[in-house]
Amino acid sequence: MSVFSRLLVVFLIQLSSFSVVAAVDLTDAVVIVPRQSSSRLTFFAEVLREEVQKRTGKGLGLQDRAAAPGRSAIVLGIQGQGDQLPASYRPLIDATPVLASEGYSLQIDTKKRIVYIVGADERGVLYGIGWLLRKMNWGEGVLDVPESVALASSPTYPIRGHQLGYRPKTNSYDAFSVTMFEQYIRELALFGANSIEIVPPRTDDDFSSRHMQLPAIEMIGHQSRIADQLDMDVWMWYPNMGEDYAHPDSIEVELRERHEVFSSVPRLDHLFVPGGDPGELEPDELFWWLEESAKVLREYHPNAKVWVSPQVFRPTQAWFDRFFFHVNQEYEWLGGVVFGPWVKIPLPELRQRVKAGIPIRRYPDITHSLSSQYPIPEWDLALSMTLGRECINPRPGDQKSIHNALAAYADGSLSYSEGTNDDVNKFVWTDQDWDPDRPVIETLRDYARFFFGPEWVEGISQGLLLQEENMRGPLLTNMQVPVSLQVWQEMEQRADAAMRQNFRFQMGLIRAYYDAYVQRKLALQTAAEHKARDFMRQALEEGELAGLSQALAVLEQSLTEEPAAPWRARCLELADALYESIGAQLTIDPHGAASGRGNFIDNLDAVLNDAPWLMDNLRAIRDMGEGADWQSALHAVVNRTNPGPGGFYDNFGHPKSWKRVVFDKSWEEDPGSLYRPRISFGVGLIGVEWVHEVKAVGFEGTAAPQAWMMQVNTLYDTPLKIRYDQLNPDLDYTLRVAYTGRFRSKMRLEVDGGLEVHDFIQTGHQPIFEFDLPKSAYQDGEITFSWTCGEGERGSQVAELWLMVKP
């Protein structure tokens, strides 16, 4: 691209960012506040002034008298209190339409260059300020607001917020300073959040990390104070970590701890206690303990309420019956019920079982990609292996769909977040809680304008949408990946030093380079595997062991060859930059990440083909020597997936095989997969309850085929149904099936007509099972397999399935 062409592109991008509609120049504005303003309203005015100065370099004046003639003004007021403002502003204040709680009206007098922000209450004023900041065009010495942003708006849902847990397990929050929390919480509020959730010093995590600048007990006090300044509700997620809630000594220890924690925070409105994960109490004991906790809570925060979730590792009907018995007693201290990850009962059913007057709050998992409440549809294995559980994961379109699918059954949400990796998702989710009809692209444009500047609006917003597309479908053929990299690289070239140090820009860049690198590496290693398999087949045809050495050499080379080395190096540079800017921990060493959490940069060296399994087998066969029946062993490896003539084979980690899977609901109806199957990842190890990382090892720690790393999966006792047609009713078939997955379960299989193929089998001990099929099950040429789990199990998982014609 020529210099002239580059300048033209930059000019057009900048021109498109400044709307051609009329705008009001506020460069010389003063902020007008009511006489005798509360300290909180005055603080909100200071927030406006500080955020404008950061962007324009200009300080707005602050006064309670009218602006001088000809000077622009931003007038802050509260509905029904126009008499506290100068007389010239009262008519418009008094004419403000009636607003619901927390709502605001932003009106513009274009002739006098006056912007009026009128809130239903003090919170409404803050959200109106946020709307102005999100929509204004700004630059050095420049501040104007398009006339088109005038509106009256009130939130749809009363609970809007995010968990900001200061604990070592998170991928960045534990490195935050007080100043960083002040800015981050402010930014969430300016986009409409009215709540944050903090965590106590003792959870299912270590007490401290090398990143922490303050002890947790001190930091949660600051978080609470910051939220109170912004008039945000403060929630606390407080799991039951005690080993004994019956012995008086143990109870005394637990109560003493709660006295210390509750007294350390200046504001606490709600206490959320999960029923499990962690903590395992039976409902009668759980609700007794909640009441005891509420007594301590109210000594320091008299109006606080206790919320609880029906979240439990091994859910049974008896457990739920007692849980809902207690919930529906409507205890005076009970605030409501929380629906979050690993709640077995779908939200619509939960709403039916909980009395109508009892609120339900959502606790959506917006932070995880693996072991997630809301998995990525059609996610490729290569990305699941590399990006892992807590990658930087902008999913704006998915977040809107997930939000709107279930929003009507709850009173809003506070998200489950483990750090800044889900930053985009937070702002999308809050905007949807405010207005579920708001287009995602509008939120992304506001995000780009607010955090980067008007000239970056289209580049950043479209760049984030591209990164969501990078995560969809087969990576090898995803042509959006190189496009995404080109878009972000062009912005990188235009960025000044301040932009390059912006952690949100760094997060976008690192994902662009990372995705492109993994795609290039996958292409190289896939081609090498095909070449190695050609040598294996040649060895069989020629009866010569030499072909095995050639195949091994190709595979070994594929593991050492470095594709796109500059992209890999840039990922490492950006990981260091993110560590410096916000303490983001993208590697275990040197950044100190928790294993399997945000350390996706460690996975740059992951093997993306079947080399580990193939090489183990090839070495073993080569060592058999010429005199042994090495050809039979090699034939078994080469033909591992071959079902034989007339047979069927499917790998259910691949979308192509999902045509066999029976779906009762669409993803849009059930994004949390409580009614429908989902894709899951992980092989599982003997004796290990749960696997959070996708690696080419399984069971006894030996190399596993890639096909075992991904499965079709249903949760809990939802049946997993897989249907085949075009069977020959005159033939006898054997079923071979691979039961692998990220957790262990007891599974039972039956076919059409309720015929049992096998009773409950404890999976996790061996991968492959074989069974003869009853001919009566496919007399019409069709057969439907149905797997179910025992009560309290995590779910059914099937990785591969062969239907083989018996000789």
Side-chain angles (χ1 to χ4, degrees):
M1 184 181 291
S2 67
V3 173
F4 174 78
S5 298
R6 287 187 182 278
L7 290 174
L8 180 61
V9 168
V10 171
F11 172 75
L12 291 173
I13 290 174
Q14 292 176 335
L15 184 64
S16 70
S17 301
F18 291 92
S19 175
V20 295
V21 301
V24 175
D25 182 4
L26 298 176
T27 307
D28 65 342
V30 292
V31 179
I32 311 297
V33 295
R35 293 188 303 274
Q36 299 178 335
S37 290
S38 69
S39 60
R40 184 166 278 144
L41 193 59
T42 301
F43 177 69
F44 292 168
E46 290 297 334
V47 168
L48 170 60
R49 297 174 68 219
E50 288 174 9
E51 293 301 320
V52 168
Q53 183 151 20
K54 289 174 188 175
R55 288 161 175 77
T56 68
K58 293 185 66 65
L60 303 182
L62 178 68
Q63 60 192 50
D64 61 4
R65 64 185 185 276
R71 188 170 186 181
S72 62
I74 302 171
V75 180
L76 307 182
I78 295 177
Q79 184 175 266
Q81 299 179 18
D83 59 346
Q84 296 184 21
L85 285 160
S88 59
Y89 303 138
R90 292 174 190 171
L92 193 144
I93 299 289
D94 293 338
T96 299
V98 177
L99 300 166
S101 175
E102 301 187 338
Y104 62 86
S105 170
L106 191 151
Q107 304 301 327
I108 302 175
D109 183 332
T110 56
K111 291 183 179 179
K112 295 181 179 179
R113 296 191 298 132
I114 300 174
V115 174
Y116 294 86
I117 299 175
V118 183
D121 41 39
E122 289 179 337
R123 279 184 174 180
V125 175
L126 179 63
Y127 302 137
I129 289 171
W131 184 253
L132 174 66
L133 292 169
R134 290 161 62 176
K135 297 297 183 181
M136 69 185 192
N137 292 316
W138 57 271
E140 186 65 32
V142 175
L143 175 61
D144 66 59
V145 57
E147 294 178 22
S148 59
V149 306
L151 85 168
S153 181
S154 297
T156 303
Y157 298 100
I159 305 173
R160 308 178 304 280
H162 305 280
Q163 187 181 89
L164 306 174
Y166 187 70
R167 59 177 182 153
K169 193 173 290 181
T170 63
N171 56 59
S172 47
Y173 295 144
D174 60 333
F176 272 29
S177 65
V178 174
T179 301
M180 293 167 71
F181 271 123
E182 284 178 332
Q183 185 61 33
Y184 200 70
I185 294 170
R186 173 187 293 192
E187 290 162 356
L188 294 173
L190 291 172
F191 273 71
N194 68 357
S195 308
I196 65 166
E197 188 164 73
I198 59 181
V199 304
R202 184 170 65 111
T203 65
D204 57 338
D205 205 346
D206 296 332
F207 275 99
S208 185
S209 79
R210 77 183 212 200
H211 309 289
M212 287 183 168
Q213 301 181 30
L214 290 176
I217 195 72
E218 293 182 28
M219 185 60 85
I220 63 174
H222 286 292
Q223 289 178 300
S224 175
R225 173 189 56 79
I226 293 163
D228 187 52
Q229 281 186 306
L230 296 161
D231 195 19
M232 300 174 77
D233 285 356
V234 178
W235 296 63
M236 182 179 287
W237 176 78
Y238 208 134
N240 296 318
M241 296 301 300
E243 296 181 0
D244 187 347
Y245 287 88
H247 195 281
D249 291 346
S250 300
I251 294 171
E252 182 181 353
V253 170
E254 292 294 312
L255 291 176
R256 189 185 310 125
E257 178 188 279
R258 280 155 181 77
H259 277 284
E260 179 185 7
V261 171
F262 297 153
S263 65
S264 71
V265 292
R267 178 170 181 167
L268 185 57
D269 301 278
H270 305 279
L271 181 71
F272 164 34
V273 181
D277 191 14
E280 292 298 317
L281 295 180
E282 291 301 311
D284 291 346
E285 188 177 23
L286 172 63
F287 278 82
W288 169 82
W289 174 244
L290 294 180
E291 184 168 9
E292 294 301 305
S293 298
K295 293 175 184 176
V296 179
L297 174 67
R298 289 187 165 185
E299 288 186 34
Y300 306 98
H301 308 282
N303 299 315
K305 295 281 190 177
V306 179
W307 296 59
V308 63
S309 67
Q311 181 177 346
V312 60
F313 276 119
R314 300 291 181 187
T316 64
Q317 188 60 50
W319 194 97
F320 285 121
D321 287 344
R322 291 303 294 172
F323 177 88
F324 289 112
F325 166 79
H326 284 288
V327 164
N328 290 321
Q329 298 303 303
E330 299 183 273
Y331 300 121
E332 183 274 335
W333 47 263
L334 183 67
V337 177
V338 176
F339 173 79
W342 290 113
V343 171
K344 175 182 178 180
I345 298 175
L347 184 52
E349 294 179 24
L350 186 66
R351 181 67 275 176
Q352 290 177 350
R353 296 200 65 174
V354 173
K355 283 185 178 180
I358 299 174
I360 294 177
R361 181 205 117 184
R362 296 174 73 182
Y363 180 41
D365 177 2
I366 68 171
T367 199
H368 291 138
S369 301
L370 287 175
S371 304
S372 171
Q373 183 183 18
Y374 300 111
I376 300 165
E378 297 186 6
W379 205 23
D380 189 90
L381 175 63
L383 285 180
S384 76
M385 294 175 70
T386 51
L387 286 174
R389 193 172 190 222
E390 283 176 22
C391 61
I392 295 163
N393 66 338
R395 296 176 59 192
D398 282 354
Q399 297 305 321
K400 180 176 178 63
S401 296
I402 294 164
H403 178 277
N404 289 2
L406 301 170
Y409 300 101
D411 293 80
S413 62
L414 277 95
S415 76
Y416 172 25
S417 173
E418 295 282 20
T420 53
N421 67 300
D422 55 26
D423 186 68
V424 169
N425 301 341
K426 288 189 185 82
F427 290 91
V428 170
W429 199 276
T430 296
D431 230 5
Q432 292 301 303
D433 268 340
W434 187 283
D435 180 5
D437 292 328
R438 184 164 292 151
V440 161
I441 188 62
E442 182 178 359
T443 304
L444 294 180
R445 285 171 176 153
D446 287 353
Y447 180 92
R449 187 182 298 108
F450 183 86
F451 291 117
F452 304 104
E455 70 272 26
W456 298 96
V457 167
E458 292 307 312
I460 294 292
S461 57
Q462 296 295 336
L464 292 171
L465 290 172
L466 281 170
Q467 291 190 342
E468 182 172 29
E469 288 302 311
N470 285 3
M471 301 175 87
R472 296 183 183 277
L475 177 62
L476 196 61
T477 55
N478 187 341
M479 299 313 298
Q480 293 290 359
V481 173
V483 173
S484 175
L485 178 60
Q486 291 166 348
V487 166
W488 283 93
Q489 283 179 319
E490 187 163 336
M491 290 191 288
E492 183 181 23
Q493 292 167 6
R494 293 198 292 117
D496 60 15
M499 183 73 163
R500 288 171 179 260
Q501 291 167 11
N502 183 321
F503 80 88
R504 292 181 168 96
F505 188 62
Q506 292 168 345
M507 289 199 298
L509 275 180
I510 200 169
R511 266 295 309 276
Y513 279 104
Y514 193 94
D515 294 354
Y517 174 78
V518 173
Q519 186 185 56
R520 182 72 64 83
K521 182 176 179 180
L522 176 64
L524 182 150
Q525 292 191 351
T526 299
E529 181 180 331
H530 285 307
K531 186 175 180 180
R533 289 183 179 274
D534 286 342
F535 281 124
M536 292 161 64
R537 283 186 284 270
Q538 180 181 334
L540 278 178
E541 293 168 2
E542 297 176 355
E544 297 289 340
L545 273 171
L548 303 190
S549 296
Q550 292 173 300
L552 278 166
V554 169
L555 292 171
E556 288 166 353
Q557 182 181 357
S558 77
L559 303 188
T560 57
E561 190 171 349
E562 184 63 78
W567 295 352
R568 186 182 189 279
R570 190 70 183 115
C571 287
L572 296 173
E573 292 169 357
L574 286 164
D576 288 340
L578 277 161
Y579 184 68
E580 289 297 319
S581 59
I582 55 168
Q585 299 137 40
L586 307 189
T587 65
I588 294 175
D589 185 19
H591 302 140
S595 178
R597 290 290 178 170
N599 63 312
F600 67 95
I601 295 299
D602 288 335
N603 299 329
L604 281 167
D605 296 324
V607 179
L608 304 181
N609 60 13
D610 241 337
W613 181 78
L614 287 172
M615 290 168 69
D616 275 6
N617 280 274
L618 291 177
R619 289 178 182 130
I621 294 169
R622 183 187 59 186
D623 292 345
M624 293 171 65
E626 290 286 356
D629 191 9
W630 62 268
Q631 289 177 285
S632 295
L634 181 58
H635 184 275
V637 172
V638 170
N639 288 276
R640 194 190 74 81
T641 59
N642 181 6
F648 302 80
Y649 169 78
D650 282 288
N651 177 343
F652 290 103
H654 288 286
K656 279 289 186 182
S657 289
W658 279 54
K659 65 184 178 182
R660 310 279 192 192
V661 181
V662 179
F663 294 92
D664 294 326
K665 287 183 180 289
S666 67
W667 180 86
E668 290 75 13
E669 294 174 294
D670 181 30
S673 308
L674 290 175
Y675 297 106
R676 70 191 298 276
R678 57 162 65 187
I679 192 170
S680 65
F681 300 92
V683 180
L685 294 165
I686 292 177
V688 177
E689 178 70 18
W690 188 268
V691 173
H692 282 309
E693 297 175 90
V694 187
K695 296 183 177 180
V697 294
F699 295 92
E700 295 179 345
T702 55
Q706 277 196 330
W708 293 358
M709 300 181 207
M710 45 190 175
Q711 310 83 29
V712 61
N713 162 221
T714 52
L715 299 180
Y716 304 114
D717 51 9
T718 298
L720 169 58
K721 297 180 181 180
I722 296 177
R723 178 181 171 274
Y724 284 81
D725 56 11
Q726 302 179 355
L727 275 70
N728 187 332
D730 296 328
L731 298 178
D732 294 316
Y733 290 91
T734 295
L735 166 69
R736 178 184 295 164
V737 61
Y739 292 150
T740 67
R742 57 194 172 125
F743 48 73
R744 296 179 294 169
S745 278
K746 291 180 180 177
M747 291 163 42
R748 177 180 181 272
L749 172 61
E750 65 178 31
V751 291
D752 305 62
L755 297 172
E756 182 178 275
V757 176
H758 68 72
D759 201 351
F760 288 108
I761 289 176
Q762 176 67 65
T763 63
H765 295 296
Q766 67 181 69
I768 302 295
F769 295 84
E770 287 194 11
F771 309 95
D772 290 334
L773 293 180
K775 293 183 72 170
S776 59
Y778 53 90
Q779 285 305 296
D780 58 356
E782 299 180 1
I783 189 169
T784 299
F785 299 97
S786 180
W787 287 267
T788 53
C789 278
E791 187 177 40
E793 296 291 326
R794 285 285 178 127
S796 300
Q797 305 168 116
V798 174
E800 298 176 284
L801 191 153
W802 296 256
L803 288 179
M804 302 173 294
V805 178
K806 296 178 71 174

